[in-house]
Amino acid sequence: MESPTRRLKSIVPALVVALLLSACAGATPTPTGAGVSSSPAGPSQTLTTAPVTLRILRYTATKAEEDLHASWIAEFKKDHPNITIEAEVVPFGELSNKIQASVAGGNPPDIFFIDGPNTKTYAYLKILRPLDQYLPAGFKADIVDATLEEQSYQGQLYSMPDRQTAPALFYNKDMLDAIGVKPPTKLADAWTWDEALKVWMQLKAKSPDVWPLEPSRFGAGGAGFYYRDGIFSRSAGDRSAPISSSLYKTFAAISPDGTTVQGYIDSPEAITAGKWFQDLTMVHAVTSKVGIPNAFLDKKAAMTIDHEGILGRMNTQYPNGGFNIGVTPMPYFKKPVVMTGSNASGISARSTHPAEAAAYLNFIYNDANRLRYWDANRNMPARKSLFDKLPAYKDYPLSMLKEQLLTIGAPRPPTPAWAIFDSIINAAIKDISLGAPVETTLHKAAVDVDKELAKYPK
Amino acid sequence: MLTFATPFLWMFGSAFKTQGDIFAHAYPLTWETILPARPTLDNFASVIFGRGIGRNFLNNLIVAAAQVVLTLTVCAMAAYAFARLRFPGRDALFGLVLFAALIPFEATMIPLFQVMGILDLRSTYFALFLPWIANPLGIFLLRQAFLEVPRDYEEAAIIEGASRLQIFWNIVLPMSRPALITLVLLTFLWSWNSYLWPLIVMQDSSKQVIQVAIASFSAPEQLPSWGDIFAASALATVPVLTIFLLLQRYYVRGVAMSGLK
Amino acid sequence: MRRLRDGATIALFLTPAFVGLGLFHFLPIFIALRGSLFDLNLLVPDRETFIGVEHYMTMLSDEEFRRSLLNTVVYTGTKLVIQLPLSFGLALLIETRLRGTTLLRSAIFAPTVTAVAIAAVIWGLMYQPQAGLINSILGAVGIEPQSFLTSKDQALPSIIALGIWQDTGLTVLILLGGLQGIPRDFYEAAQLDGASGWQAVRHLTLPLLRRTILFTVVLTTIFAFKVFAEVKIMTEGGPENSTLMTVYYIYKKAFVFLDLGYAFALAVVLMAILIAIALLQGRILRTRFEY
């Protein structure tokens, strides 16, 4: 019996993707669908001429993206009159449950959209089909490195990357002007976390009613979302250190063979970073212990760790936002790092029409359609060549965000048990921010994750 | 009383605020926390015309109506059998009914989804109400009520030669009106606010219910459209609250409507 | 002859309910019971390995499961002890039909008809540790700001408060329905005997309401035991597992850890515990009211 007290609902959307099209923000003219024809499916794929129905499962998107999805279906239909596409649309936060139910219930859709880091899980469990044989020449080599790593399994691409994000430290320029601070604009000059903390303390002294740093707006709000909060710990490591060193392990967060996280997420460096992170809430009180909706945009916080999506949100939902926004590279302890992330879509291993599904994906991921997609949400593209076609990325601030993605971007720890890792580490991060003992909490999390990793033998 | 009403009023007040105003005055506490300083109907226009939740409302009404009528019928019949008829194994069977009420839905959701697949109901309205009409708690509630009906009336009617069905219809049901209304209200509430099950089982977006539609107001990585969410939620509570307050007038004190003429 | 007719009536009256229960309740339970003996991954439905009672053995040393049970029992117990007397009092008050009770009634039902997700958002704001509404009020009467959901000691009581706020309307409604079922002449007789209001409640209302009260107690227990949404939205079981509830734990095992077999086994044990509690409640309440 499902009662009112039994419902679950995550209003707060979970993961990392997109941004709103500001319909009037001077979008560059888009190529219209009329002249766009679908690219041929990869080599040796002949499409059937018999009537075929493809089922797609995707998440609710912004109005601009919804319109785009509708026109894609119509345009594809023009070229392939025998292929009918039926889309089922669900709230983003429920995408994973819906996929699970359809798989467990034995009727998964042909194409489903997923959260990028889950690609390896679905590949490992043979729910997604490898895509290499369907890809146009050069497509794979063009994908941003971090993205390619995140969405491949055993050398094959398993999902098509929608876009890419990489967070930075955004700030309210007016508030920083008031204390006379000009944050750096170049990656090479990025603050260390301690330098950032000094500024936060100044901000707090200046106006005690404003949070220097917005609590995380990701996940359920407040600490406990690895995409954002894991940056602290991973930046205490160094990806160029020797593989056996604690510094490298702190950056990597999981062993190269994917069997253990002990000594990785609870390394001495990670523990030190964890204590520093805990002090933000428990000692300095420069950020709130719990989420506050819209704190940064409502001018209740001076800075926020977010990705470029915030620029679009400010334009569309706060047209009279009334403050100047600036962005500085992500601070770090030892070596800068930002976590990347994106949505993606793949083809069900059980689909009886993989070639036709691939033809549709190749169509919506071709250059012209990706540029239309960029117009609809302004998130970074996931393919290097597309950056060259977008003049907006030539200048600060977007150039800096692009540089972060391409040079210091790292996918979340690659493992088929990603969602489990995420769930355990998030709870640990949240507990730490609320005062739990750092070392024992991280160590217990590592032991718990290892127990689960053992269930995913290579 | 304020304790109960404040959060609710906050939701209603926020439905009339612009996105920027909703959390801007959340604290410190002023009158603007609750009441919109610049009331606007934009949110309502947006959810009704822009997002078309009228369609979802209609779906909810269809499902709730079917669920209420069928739940009442099925539960009342079973409850009467358990309260008044004698047959071997009655108490054991009733125990089995109660046992069904103890299932945590989250645990049997996947098996139930598989069952709906076998029955091929996964894109129909039936999927939304059929599993819940044999409601163990409903049977329990009505059985308790039927046991309260004084036996003298029934015995008199039996002597008069009335059949079981006549007794059930003319004596037991009218005398249990408060419990029946309670069950109508509970069923309507559960049906109206259901979320997880419709989300999982319904594969046809045009038949989706209101709570799932509200959850869809959040696209990834943009701020949730709080204004729309509160406006739609406020609208969604109106029918339930109205029915709650209206139907209770029909609670009639133990009127003895007897079949004794 | 009558017996034969009764037989047909019984079949007619019970069949619809048992078809529904069989298909949509018992069949899923059976699938879950069977599944609890297998190693099952949620996403690999066609591969199952029989492992007997291994899941149940694992449970014995599962600290998180123990913690979740303890939390659930505390949650349920506290909720019963506070919510039921409160609802009973409110129901009697509304029953007096004095002026203002309609308003009171609306106020009490309003939370019940509000979607839990919305309620969680609003309460989350009210519970803000630094500047939330509740701390503003506490500050006005000179009490230190409390940390509520961010403290491992206060998170569970905070969740309980939200639960009571949401569900009181439901129990008041059921008790009202029961009160309406009491024939008026009983009270008139009591008044003639010169019984005071309190005596009438104790010796008349309570015994006459015993079946409704039993229903309310069982219903509240079952719902409280299956508490889920608030925990998922507000605390995700934290801080430090202080609000980890069993059904949320089952959900996590099935849908995050994909360990469907273990989730089934947990659900089976939860059901067994609920059966024991329901039986106990039935027994206690029956003897209380010399039933």
Side-chain angles (χ1 to χ4, degrees):
Chain A
M1 134 107 55
E2 206 192 353
S3 82
T5 47
R6 228 72 320 148
R7 274 160 302 130
L8 71 114
K9 184 190 275 195
S10 34
I11 300 194
V12 186
L15 264 184
V16 177
V17 224
L19 111 86
L20 270 168
L21 161 71
S22 55
C24 48
T28 48
T30 42
T32 55
V36 182
S37 75
S38 56
S39 47
S44 79
Q45 299 298 328
T46 39
L47 300 188
T48 177
T49 49
V52 166
T53 301
L54 292 177
R55 285 169 50 228
I56 294 183
L57 174 65
R58 61 176 181 81
Y59 53 87
T60 324
T62 56
K63 176 96 180 62
E65 283 182 46
E66 289 288 338
D67 294 348
L68 194 52
H69 275 290
S71 43
W72 281 337
I73 288 179
E75 289 159 22
F76 187 76
K77 180 91 191 165
K78 241 182 264 165
D79 284 345
H80 306 85
N82 62 316
I83 301 177
T84 309
I85 292 179
E86 288 175 358
E88 190 188 346
V89 187
V90 298
F92 182 75
E94 311 296 352
L95 194 57
S96 146
N97 275 8
K98 191 80 192 185
I99 292 169
Q100 288 166 345
S102 72
V103 170
N107 68 338
D110 298 282
I111 293 174
F112 48 89
F113 281 76
I114 60 174
D115 188 20
N118 288 329
T119 303
K120 284 186 162 61
T121 311
Y122 296 142
Y124 179 92
L125 296 171
K126 298 193 173 59
I127 288 159
L128 284 178
R129 175 184 290 269
L131 299 175
D132 285 21
Q133 66 179 101
Y134 303 105
L135 299 174
F139 186 90
K140 236 175 104 162
D142 191 28
I143 297 175
V144 169
D145 300 351
T147 314
L148 184 63
E149 191 181 340
E150 181 169 274
Q151 298 181 208
S152 300
Y153 182 69
Q154 295 184 338
Q156 284 245 43
L157 188 70
Y158 271 83
S159 62
M160 301 287 251
D162 281 7
R163 51 190 155 197
Q164 228 4 281
T165 64
L169 189 60
F170 290 83
Y171 56 88
N172 181 318
K173 220 163 159 305
D174 309 342
M175 291 183 188
L176 281 157
D177 288 347
I179 56 167
V181 172
K182 288 239 177 302
T185 55
K186 290 196 182 65
L187 243 58
D189 309 333
W191 279 336
T192 62
W193 284 118
D194 285 310
E195 287 168 329
L197 178 59
K198 268 203 203 85
V199 175
W200 292 338
M201 298 305 275
Q202 279 173 275
L203 284 164
K204 194 179 154 122
K206 175 88 182 167
S207 36
D209 289 344
V210 174
W211 290 109
L213 176 66
E214 179 182 50
S216 174
R217 68 166 187 85
F218 295 104
F225 197 78
Y226 192 71
Y227 168 82
R228 171 195 189 266
D229 306 330
I231 291 172
F232 292 88
S233 151
R234 291 183 83 179
S235 77
D238 181 353
R239 76 183 78 192
S240 54
I243 285 208
S244 58
S245 69
S246 190
L247 273 177
Y248 176 81
K249 290 179 176 178
T250 305
F251 158 77
I254 189 166
S255 64
D257 63 0
T259 56
T260 181
V261 298
Q262 288 188 62
Y264 291 78
I265 63 170
D266 58 349
S267 68
E269 291 84 355
I271 290 166
T272 309
K275 286 188 174 134
W276 191 95
F277 180 73
Q278 181 174 63
D279 287 349
L280 292 182
T281 44
M282 301 302 291
V283 177
H284 310 302
V286 291
T287 188
S288 164
K289 286 180 184 172
V290 292
I292 304 169
N294 310 351
F296 179 71
L297 291 171
D298 284 346
K299 292 180 267 192
K300 288 182 165 36
M303 296 187 137
T304 185
I305 296 171
D306 207 331
H307 55 65
E308 65 280 11
I310 194 168
L311 300 169
R313 284 204 304 278
M314 193 164 169
N315 281 339
T316 48
Q317 301 195 271
Y318 294 84
N320 318 316
F323 70 89
N324 295 301
I325 190 168
V327 60
T328 182
M330 187 62 76
Y332 63 96
F333 288 118
K334 176 85 186 159
K335 279 283 167 73
V337 59
V338 289
M339 265 184 268
T340 58
S342 135
N343 291 68
S345 63
I347 302 175
S348 164
R350 295 184 57 165
S351 170
T352 46
H353 311 290
E356 289 72 23
Y360 183 69
L361 287 185
N362 279 326
F363 170 64
I364 69 173
Y365 288 94
N366 70 22
D367 288 12
N369 281 332
R370 278 305 101 181
L371 291 174
R372 292 161 81 189
Y373 186 69
W374 180 84
D375 259 331
N377 61 51
R378 298 301 174 92
N379 273 95
M380 287 188 279
R383 283 194 285 121
K384 296 171 227 168
S385 66
L386 293 173
F387 278 112
D388 305 329
K389 300 185 178 179
L390 294 165
Y393 288 95
K394 290 211 174 12
D395 311 311
Y396 172 89
L398 293 188
S399 59
M400 188 204 87
L401 295 169
K402 168 191 156 186
E403 200 189 340
Q404 279 203 142
L405 171 70
L406 297 178
T407 58
I408 63 169
R412 278 156 281 182
T415 166
W418 156 251
I420 301 174
F421 173 99
D422 194 40
S423 160
I424 293 172
I425 190 91
N426 286 351
I429 290 172
K430 184 174 178 175
D431 286 350
I432 284 171
S433 83
L434 299 179
V438 179
E439 193 168 345
T440 47
T441 305
L442 283 177
H443 181 64
K444 185 178 179 308
V447 172
D448 287 349
V449 171
D450 278 8
K451 242 185 266 170
E452 297 298 322
L453 290 177
K455 296 177 187 168
Y456 289 80
K458 274 264 188 283
Chain B
M1 179 144 146
L2 269 179
T3 317
F4 277 103
T6 307
F8 189 75
L9 291 175
W10 192 78
M11 171 180 83
F12 257 83
S14 299
F16 295 93
K17 292 178 186 175
T18 59
Q19 175 88 1
D21 276 348
I22 288 182
F23 296 105
H25 305 288
Y27 54 79
L29 184 63
T30 60
W31 62 273
E32 277 194 58
T33 308
I34 305 277
L35 298 171
R38 294 168 298 205
T40 163
L41 287 172
D42 291 357
N43 298 329
F44 291 98
S46 150
V47 296
I48 294 167
F49 303 113
R51 300 187 184 268
I53 60 162
R55 169 84 226 180
N56 306 102
F57 254 89
L58 187 68
N59 293 336
N60 266 42
L61 277 175
I62 293 169
V63 172
Q67 195 169 327
V68 165
V69 170
L70 290 168
T71 301
L72 229 60
T73 313
V74 170
C75 293
M77 285 164 65
Y80 182 71
F82 283 124
R84 280 289 182 263
L85 302 174
R86 285 201 204 88
F87 52 94
R90 186 180 71 176
D91 293 349
L93 267 184
F94 184 65
L96 205 59
V97 170
L98 278 190
F99 169 63
L102 307 180
I103 313 164
F105 169 71
E106 285 76 12
T108 53
M109 184 169 83
I110 291 294
L112 188 59
F113 181 74
Q114 291 165 337
V115 170
M116 295 321 267
I118 296 164
L119 298 173
D120 202 17
L121 292 173
R122 279 179 195 158
S123 301
T124 65
Y125 285 124
F126 289 105
L128 300 183
F129 62 80
L130 218 50
W132 316 120
I133 57 175
N135 181 341
L137 287 168
I139 297 173
F140 183 31
L141 173 72
L142 294 186
R143 175 180 170 268
Q144 302 290 80
F146 296 164
L147 287 171
E148 301 281 354
V149 175
R151 276 180 182 268
D152 326 357
Y153 292 112
E154 289 174 80
E155 274 156 17
I158 288 174
I159 292 163
E160 303 259 317
S163 75
R164 281 283 179 199
L165 272 173
Q166 286 168 323
I167 294 168
F168 175 62
W169 188 255
N170 293 329
I171 300 173
V172 177
L173 285 184
M175 290 189 70
S176 313
R177 193 186 290 184
L180 293 172
I181 290 175
T182 301
L183 185 58
V184 169
L185 293 174
L186 291 179
T187 308
F188 190 86
L189 174 71
W190 288 328
S191 172
W192 194 264
N193 281 346
S194 62
Y195 171 77
L196 185 56
W197 176 244
L199 170 86
I200 294 295
V201 78
M202 181 47 70
Q203 297 181 338
D204 176 348
S205 302
S206 68
K207 298 199 185 81
Q208 196 47 281
V209 298
I210 189 97
Q211 295 296 351
V212 179
I214 293 174
S216 308
F217 293 179
S218 304
E221 290 320 289
Q222 55 162 326
L223 290 176
S225 315
W226 291 113
D228 287 4
I229 289 170
F230 286 124
S233 302
L235 284 175
T237 56
V238 170
V240 204
L241 196 56
T242 313
I243 286 194
F244 259 57
L245 295 172
L246 276 185
L247 266 188
Q248 287 182 68
R249 301 187 171 193
Y250 297 95
Y251 274 157
V252 180
R253 267 188 185 286
V255 181
M257 286 262 310
S258 65
L260 307 168
K261 288 254 162 61
Chain C
M1 185 66 218
R2 173 151 208 87
R3 178 156 293 196
L4 201 68
R5 257 210 347 233
D6 268 4
T9 313
I10 290 164
L12 170 76
F13 273 42
L14 284 178
T15 304
F18 273 87
V19 169
L21 287 170
L23 272 179
F24 305 118
H25 294 264
F26 297 129
L27 188 54
I29 291 182
F30 174 77
I31 295 175
L33 262 173
R34 183 185 167 278
S36 74
L37 304 174
F38 287 82
D39 187 11
L40 270 180
N41 183 305
L42 174 68
L43 290 176
V44 194
D46 41 12
R47 197 180 61 213
E48 47 177 41
T49 321
F50 183 76
I51 54 167
V53 293
E54 199 179 304
H55 285 315
Y56 295 91
M57 303 310 287
T58 311
M59 234 180 281
L60 293 175
S61 57
D62 185 342
E63 252 175 75
E64 282 198 305
F65 176 54
R66 266 207 300 271
R67 181 69 202 262
S68 78
L69 274 180
L70 179 70
N71 288 341
T72 307
V73 168
V74 170
Y75 176 90
T76 307
T78 317
K79 206 162 171 248
L80 278 173
V81 168
I82 298 173
Q83 188 182 322
L84 288 183
L86 176 72
S87 305
F88 192 68
L90 286 170
L92 286 176
L93 190 64
I94 289 173
E95 187 57 0
T96 58
R97 312 239 165 158
L98 293 171
R99 285 183 55 179
T101 48
T102 312
L103 210 57
L104 175 68
R105 190 188 291 220
S106 316
I108 292 169
F109 291 147
T112 304
V113 302
T114 307
V116 80
I118 297 289
V121 170
I122 298 170
W123 279 71
L125 285 166
M126 300 198 319
Y127 278 141
Q128 289 273 352
Q130 282 82 9
L133 179 60
I134 302 178
N135 271 331
S136 310
I137 296 168
L138 290 179
V141 294
I143 299 173
E144 289 282 285
Q146 302 295 310
S147 30
F148 298 119
L149 297 171
T150 62
S151 120
K152 58 177 193 240
D153 304 319
Q154 292 181 9
L156 186 56
S158 304
I159 294 267
I160 294 172
L162 164 63
I164 292 171
W165 174 82
Q166 266 235 294
D167 298 342
T168 297
L170 206 66
T171 34
V172 166
L173 177 82
I174 297 164
L175 289 170
L176 270 177
L179 283 173
Q180 303 287 348
I182 298 174
R184 198 176 293 246
D185 45 11
F186 277 48
Y187 281 108
E188 283 158 8
Q191 269 172 347
L192 287 178
D193 291 346
S196 70
W198 172 241
Q199 282 171 325
V201 167
R202 221 193 119 184
H203 296 290
L204 202 72
T205 316
L206 273 176
L208 282 170
L209 263 189
R210 68 177 186 270
R211 289 199 174 101
T212 309
I213 289 173
L214 173 67
F215 176 74
T216 318
V217 169
V218 172
L219 182 93
T220 309
T221 306
I222 290 174
F223 279 1
F225 236 79
K226 296 199 280 189
V227 60
F228 172 73
E230 299 92 309
V231 176
K232 182 171 188 288
I233 297 168
M234 296 181 89
T235 65
E236 293 173 314
E240 297 174 60
N241 288 342
S242 61
T243 57
L244 181 69
M245 302 290 178
T246 306
V247 171
Y248 179 65
Y249 186 58
I250 292 172
Y251 170 87
K252 242 176 55 171
K253 281 291 174 201
F255 294 93
V256 178
F257 289 61
L258 308 179
D259 196 344
L260 192 60
Y262 192 57
F264 280 156
L266 289 168
V268 168
V269 171
L270 182 71
M271 279 190 264
I273 293 170
L274 264 174
I275 292 169
I277 291 177
L279 285 175
L280 205 66
Q281 282 177 339
R283 184 142 307 175
I284 289 171
L285 284 169
R286 277 181 194 188
T287 48
R288 267 297 301 270
F289 296 127
E290 296 117 44
Y291 178 59

